[in-house]
């Protein structure tokens, strides 16, 4: 099974790609360093060609709501469209817990992650949204390892 990991040079993306390879999957890292840019769409269609699953670990860290919504939203729009063109059977988005909670609605970064979730869930590609939670990165990786990454919640 070919699984493309977008954002594979980042902390989570690198760990997800490694975990998938350890499980015997054909995990293909896709990142700006190897010519794939979800914001500009450069290399995106080629990277997703023949993929069964795409794991989106892309990120853009800012506290500006406008920038977070625009950049993260645009990247997700591009990913969903490319996944649809490539007939990807499952899209996994890594997000963070409680992005839509009223207490966090003033945090720009959370607004951007919420925009990503809305775009992915409104798209035409079966998806799963995996949210990080308290306990640090190691617990998130263990949770991802045990989660049904390859089983879409919606068809």
């Amino acid at each position: 099974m070919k699984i493309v990991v977008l954002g594979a040079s980042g902390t989570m993306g690198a760990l997800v790609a490694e975990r998938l390879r350890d499980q015997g999957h054909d995990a293909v890292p896709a990142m700006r360093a190897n010519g794939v840019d979800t914001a500009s769409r450069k290399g995106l269609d080629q990277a997703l060609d023949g993929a069964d699953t795409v794991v989106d670990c892309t990120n853009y860290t800012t506290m500006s709501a406008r920038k977070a919504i625009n950049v993260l939203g645009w990247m997700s729009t591009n990913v969903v469209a490319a996944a649809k063109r490539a007939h990807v059977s499952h899209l996994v988005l890594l997000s963070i817990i409680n992005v839509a909670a009223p207490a966090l609605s003033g945090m720009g970064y959370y607004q951007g992650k919420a925009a990503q979730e809305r775009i992915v869930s409104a798209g035409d590609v079966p998806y799963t949204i995996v949210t990080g939670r308290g306990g640090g990165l190691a617990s998130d990786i263990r949770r991802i390892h045990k989660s049904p990454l390859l089983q879409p919640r919606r068809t």
Side-chain angles (χ1 to χ4, degrees):
M1 172 179 288
K2 179 180 177 183
I3 303 173
V4 174
V5 181
L6 298 170
S9 62
T11 303
M12 285 300 289
L15 290 170
V16 168
E18 178 184 344
R19 178 63 58 136
L20 290 168
R21 281 191 297 274
D22 289 348
Q23 293 175 358
H25 298 290
D26 178 16
V28 179
M31 55 204 153
R32 287 188 304 263
N34 65 6
V36 181
D37 187 331
T38 60
S40 71
R41 298 185 301 252
K42 180 183 175 193
L44 189 56
D45 285 330
Q46 295 85 350
L48 272 53
D49 186 42
D52 300 294
T53 298
V54 172
V55 182
D56 185 355
C57 302
T58 57
N59 197 24
Y60 179 79
T61 304
T62 180
M63 292 313 291
S64 165
R66 182 183 56 78
K67 286 181 183 177
I69 292 166
N70 288 342
V71 174
L72 292 170
W74 179 248
M75 291 188 319
S76 288
T77 297
N78 293 340
V79 169
V80 170
K84 183 177 179 179
R85 285 191 299 273
H87 305 286
V88 168
S89 62
H90 188 206
L91 174 60
V92 178
L93 172 67
L94 266 61
S95 189
I96 48 180
I97 200 163
N98 293 328
V99 295
L104 302 173
S105 65
M107 297 178 70
Y109 180 69
Y110 276 67
Q111 291 178 42
K113 295 303 281 185
Q116 278 190 304
E117 289 187 9
R118 285 190 302 273
I119 290 163
V120 167
S121 63
D124 293 326
V125 179
Y127 69 93
T128 299
I129 297 172
V130 178
T131 56
R133 59 184 175 148
L137 184 61
S139 70
D140 289 342
I141 291 297
R142 281 192 298 278
R143 192 161 140 301
I144 289 168
H145 172 65
K146 294 177 183 177
S147 75
L149 275 180
L150 305 178
Q151 302 300 316
R153 291 184 184 163
R154 179 181 73 93
T155 58

